[in-house]
Amino acid sequence: MTTFKNFIGGKWVPSKTGKTFPNRNPADQREIIGEFPASDARDVHQAVAAAKEAFDGWRRTPAPKRGELILKVGDILTRRKEEIAKAMTREMGKVLKETRGDVQEGIDTAVVHGSEGRRLHGFSAPSELPHKVGWTVRAPIGVAGLITPWNFPLAIPTWKSFPALVAGNTIVLKPASDTPHSSHLLVEAFEEAGVPSGVVNLVHGSGSVAGNAIVEHPDVRIISFTGSTAVGRQISATAGKALKRVSLELGGKNAQIVMDDADLELAVDGVLWGAFGTTGQRCTATSRLILHKPIHDEFVRRLIGRAATLKIGSGLDPGTDVGPLINPSRVEAVDDYVEIGKKEGELILGGEPLRDGKLKHGCFYAPTVFDGVAPTARIAREEIFGPVLSILTVKDLDEAVRCLNDTAYGLSSSIYTRDVNNAFTAMQELETGIVYVNAPTIGAECHYPFGGTKDTGNGHREGGTHPVYDVFTEWKTIYVDYSGRLQKAQIDNRKSE
Ligand code: NAD
């Protein structure tokens, strides 16, 4: 049994608590991947102190050089892609082709931000006064606390750490306790790439203890958090009191609309991937299907025909389409929603945990579909985060758009249509941060902004370049007056008034 450690000040160290927690394989709970440190505030304080000490050296390192480190990490991830993907499937459960995609997203993110070290653009604009110039630069902020969920165990830590570091901040990363191994492997890549001591720190442990200590620490000036809306609210309240920068990427209740003019087979492909890919455990997962009435019966027939053939099993088996849920308590939570759904709609597929044969020791749940769900139903409004799809039926596009927008969340949406007017109406009217036309609600690319409206966040975006650097930098505006006299803005060039 391997006992893993925290990474603080350039060294692998055990937690001061002396305690560890097991990381289990969700496809077979008997298998323990390793023991990880159950850190507390003392470990966090040590990590923040190391990050604070390293900050001056790192912020003075030219940004292109900081970018080169990230490019090297990307090369190491490329070399170790298969090994990391397999380790990720073991601890997180999603099928191997998806964990390969997760690592690839980290590699792509390294390319974007590694090269951003040579740009990090500010802007210049002409001054209103003669012999005076002004321009802006992006300045680093300090120690960034990065708190990440378990569903994209490598990609999300790279979305946060790479831009934070290229911008010149130092970091303390706390990954979800269901997937600590993937972050361990990422930090190994940083170490191999030669990251200076204290620039990257990794602290394992629970959210309520280690995570909360990061949020409360006065020397952590930025919190970048991805996780549930409930925890995001709590973090925002705590960090808000200390006037910290907080970037929140939270829950979703995403929907796919299918109009009667759509390519139905393509739309079935889309909803199968959107609803049951990653076992429905994506913030962008399709959990509502909004069907135009004329195609309802035909579409449901085709969808159920295909969904019933999905193979459930270990993500390491090449034939598996859908892996397990992350842990036993998620099986219970999904099952509780299915019980609620049975009173709110008609169960037409699945609806139970799977515990037979090879699935006996895992956290498996059958792909589940409810038809006849009203927009007011809880299963149509609350994030379930499992392989559960609710079908709602509408009479026209206006009703479809109203129905899609009628939720507290605003992450991702999709419409399948071959009518250009329908497509452009949807692009304009859907209130989500991401809109797909003739593609499922999942499938973001790392060089576009990623995030949502309403309860999905607090207005920040990850991904892209400008949006995420607005999280990790302060704008500094510089004026140089080379006139040799006192010039007064707003006053000197209005002397005639
Ligand atoms: P979670 O909120 O339970 O945990 C996320 C992280 O926060 C973990 O590292 C956890 O240990 C930590 N944490 C928990 N309580 C904390 C506290 N009080 N203080 C500080 N840290 C704390 O979420 P999860 O179950 O890991 O992930 C699933 C959720 O994440 C879903 O709601 C999903 O929609 C959301 N998510 C959102 C995005 C996005 O980009 N919008 C992406 C992936 C997941």
Side-chain angles (χ1 to χ4, degrees), residues 161-443:
S161 61
F162 292 173
L165 292 165
V166 168
N169 305 289
T170 54
I171 63 169
V172 177
L173 168 64
K174 199 222 67 78
S177 44
D178 280 307
T179 54
H181 192 206
S182 299
S183 284
H184 173 92
L185 295 171
L186 173 63
V187 172
E188 273 188 6
F190 273 117
E191 188 186 24
E192 185 186 336
V195 67
S197 298
V199 169
V200 169
N201 302 277
L202 172 69
V203 178
H204 294 288
S206 76
S208 54
V209 178
N212 189 52
I214 292 175
V215 176
E216 287 189 337
H217 198 298
D219 289 334
V220 175
R221 296 309 309 159
I222 321 162
I223 302 291
S224 175
F225 170 81
T226 300
S228 60
T229 296
V231 173
R233 273 187 215 287
Q234 234 177 297
I235 288 179
S236 183
T238 308
K241 283 189 198 132
L243 300 179
K244 295 185 187 198
R245 178 86 51 97
V246 185
S247 165
L248 302 172
E249 298 295 337
L250 309 174
K253 187 70 187 174
N254 316 289
Q256 173 178 317
I257 296 171
V258 185
M259 298 305 294
D260 63 351
D261 54 66
D263 176 336
L264 294 193
E265 216 41 42
L266 185 66
V268 170
D269 285 342
V271 71
L272 282 173
W273 178 226
F276 304 124
T278 326
T279 323
Q281 301 170 109
R282 291 192 184 213
C283 49
T284 52
T286 311
S287 68
R288 296 178 295 154
L289 174 65
I290 301 175
L291 292 180
H292 196 187
K293 197 157 192 296
I295 49 102
H296 170 274
D297 294 355
E298 173 60 15
F299 196 87
V300 171
R301 192 185 61 75
R302 292 194 199 194
L303 169 66
I304 298 303
R306 296 268 305 278
T309 67
L310 291 172
K311 298 221 169 14
I312 322 301
S314 161
L316 291 170
D317 290 345
T320 298
D321 297 305
V322 181
L325 290 167
I326 187 70
N327 59 38
S329 68
R330 289 302 309 154
V331 176
E332 260 178 54
V334 169
D335 204 40
D336 287 349
Y337 269 113
V338 167
E339 287 308 312
I340 292 167
K342 285 179 187 166
K343 294 180 204 115
E344 294 182 323
E346 184 194 352
L347 178 66
I348 56 171
L349 186 75
E352 58 185 357
L354 300 174
R355 298 193 172 111
D356 289 341
K358 276 165 76 178
L359 308 184
K360 190 157 82 188
H361 298 289
C363 306
F364 295 97
Y365 206 92
T368 297
V369 181
F370 286 99
D371 197 4
V373 178
T376 49
R378 283 185 65 188
I379 58 166
R381 306 190 77 78
E382 297 174 23
E383 185 180 46
I384 299 174
F385 226 57
V388 180
L389 180 70
S390 296
I391 301 177
L392 297 85
T393 308
V394 293
K395 63 176 186 311
D396 56 22
L397 180 63
D398 273 359
E399 190 184 352
V401 166
R402 251 183 290 123
C403 192
L404 188 144
N405 286 339
D406 184 16
T407 156
Y409 300 102
L411 184 49
S412 179
S413 59
S414 148
I415 179 165
Y416 280 76
T417 179
R418 282 183 285 206
D419 180 319
V420 69
N421 295 348
N422 284 346
F424 275 84
T425 301
M427 287 179 229
Q428 178 180 292
E429 297 299 324
L430 295 176
E431 295 168 352
T432 52
I434 304 166
V435 174
Y436 290 96
V437 177
N438 293 327
T441 58
I442 67 180

